[in-house]
Amino acid sequence: IYADTEDSGVLRDEYAQLAAQPGYQRLRARCPVHATWDDHDYGANDAGADFPMRTASEQAFLDFFEIPQEAAVRRRPGVYDAHLYGPRGRRVQIILLDTRYFRGPLKRGLPTLTCRRVRYLPNNDPEATLLGEAQWAWLEAQLRQPAELRVLASSIQVIPDQHCFEKWGNFPRERERLFRLIRDTQANGVVLISGDRHLADISRLAEHAVGYPVYEITSSGMNSARSGWGEANSYRAISDSFHENNFGLINIDWTVPNPILRLEIRDAEGNVARRVEVRLKSLQRPQRTRVHQ
């Protein structure tokens, strides 16, 4: 939904409109839906912890997605959550981060020729946070759980750091903390998904960050992409970004000894517009060889 409001009634009306959409009803009937939010369903453009209606917004979100009353996410602030699917050897962990509820202030800069509307600068304040300490501790516990593939969802982009808008790069200490946490927990198989940008892209961060390449597939929006809206991205793993209405898809072929991940951007009709294939074993830290004397 796109409900910039401090009126919880308006927010719930927007969710009701989404619930009435036939396409969304078919999606809910066919597969589980696990969600996190970004700014406009949270309640305000680029909003963070200072949004005054965040508690009411959280309740509307949890109610719309029919989160059970006994669920852990109901008993804590924020909407971060995790789910695990599949048997041993094919376990897929879905980790949904909340980059809104706890996020500290953004640091604004003066406009430039390339950043005319918005320009956010890196906030290097040691106290500045994206996730908040409780969510960081929870994330560490999740990354220590056994899984072959981990899909880590962030509403804003993690890897790209050259555009002027919201991104993990606005909080450099937090961005490095995320990579360090993946590295220190020895969590293999992490793939990032994100949205927010009104375009689609696939990025690749080299091995130095966590011990193996990290891929990020950005898809947005399903009905609100901006044609011709391009952004610099030195981490891009495809020829160029995709600027039409889109959604992302991760296909996993478990039938081969080294499973294949197909990270795909698809257009509104479901046709593949961009694709990157990755072998699951390439998303693992190198095994250390023990030397016996």
Side-chain angles (χ1 to χ4, degrees):
I1 62 172
Y2 226 90
D4 290 5
T5 181
E6 294 184 12
D7 185 326
S8 60
V10 171
L11 186 67
R12 290 180 181 271
D13 286 345
E14 293 281 342
Y15 277 124
Q17 290 184 45
L18 174 57
Q21 290 289 331
Y24 183 72
Q25 292 173 354
R26 290 195 297 271
L27 178 67
R28 289 297 300 263
R30 291 188 61 180
C31 66
V33 173
H34 300 306
T36 189
W37 53 19
D38 199 31
D39 48 352
H40 296 287
D41 42 353
Y42 180 58
N45 184 53
D46 295 356
D50 58 347
F51 180 60
M53 292 293 294
R54 63 178 183 167
T55 301
S57 181
E58 177 186 15
Q59 294 307 308
F61 175 96
L62 297 174
D63 291 345
F64 174 75
F65 288 105
E66 301 177 357
I67 305 301
Q69 291 297 323
E70 66 275 13
V73 68
R74 288 273 191 181
R75 301 192 298 271
R76 62 187 178 224
V79 301
Y80 57 91
D81 205 1
H83 306 269
L84 187 65
Y85 289 94
R88 184 182 179 89
R90 298 186 179 186
R91 291 166 295 193
V92 179
Q93 185 186 37
I94 311 297
I95 303 175
L96 304 163
L97 300 180
D98 184 338
T99 63
R100 295 292 161 189
Y101 200 94
F102 310 96
R103 198 214 69 210
L106 295 165
K107 184 177 179 180
R108 285 184 175 269
L110 295 174
T112 65
L113 290 176
T114 55
C115 300
R116 295 177 182 273
R117 295 192 303 114
V118 176
R119 182 182 174 219
Y120 291 128
L121 302 178
N123 185 344
N124 288 301
D125 183 345
E127 301 300 318
T129 187
L130 252 174
L131 303 185
E133 287 306 314
Q135 187 175 183
W136 274 115
W138 170 87
L139 177 58
E140 179 176 355
Q142 294 302 317
L143 291 174
R144 292 190 184 280
Q145 294 187 17
E148 281 65 54
L149 174 65
R150 306 171 196 272
V151 179
L152 181 59
S154 166
S155 69
I156 57 174
Q157 287 184 313
V158 180
I159 295 177
D161 60 1
Q162 293 173 272
H163 62 73
C164 314
F165 305 96
E166 284 198 282
K167 55 186 180 292
W168 277 70
N170 295 332
F171 297 86
R173 292 173 180 267
E174 294 284 87
R175 184 173 183 265
E176 174 52 34
R177 183 176 181 177
L178 177 64
F179 298 145
R180 185 170 64 250
L181 184 61
I182 295 172
R183 186 170 63 245
D184 291 349
T185 57
Q186 300 185 33
N188 289 327
V190 173
V191 173
L192 305 171
I193 61 174
S194 59
D196 183 61
R197 297 306 319 124
H198 297 270
L199 53 76
D201 213 343
I202 303 178
S203 305
R204 180 186 184 275
L205 187 63
E207 292 84 344
H208 64 83
V210 305
Y212 57 85
V214 179
Y215 290 84
E216 177 176 348
I217 178 169
T218 301
S219 58
S220 57
M222 296 182 78
N223 62 352
S224 59
R226 293 195 177 115
S227 179
W229 178 281
E231 294 177 348
N233 180 8
S234 60
Y235 301 98
R236 186 167 290 133
I238 52 180
S239 58
D240 60 341
S241 51
F242 185 67
H243 307 141
E244 300 175 20
N245 290 340
N246 64 83
F247 63 95
L249 191 65
I250 301 177
N251 277 309
I252 311 165
D253 183 356
W254 295 106
T255 65
V256 294
N258 187 358
I260 302 172
L261 276 62
R262 295 181 177 91
L263 312 179
E264 297 179 345
I265 298 297
R266 298 203 175 197
D267 64 22
E269 286 70 46
N271 302 306
V272 178
R274 305 286 188 273
R275 174 189 284 163
V276 171
E277 290 194 359
V278 183
R279 292 282 183 168
L280 185 58
K281 287 185 179 179
S282 71
L283 305 183
Q284 296 179 356
R285 295 165 58 87
Q287 296 290 329
R288 294 183 178 179
T289 302
R290 292 186 178 183
V291 177
H292 298 276
Q293 296 182 349

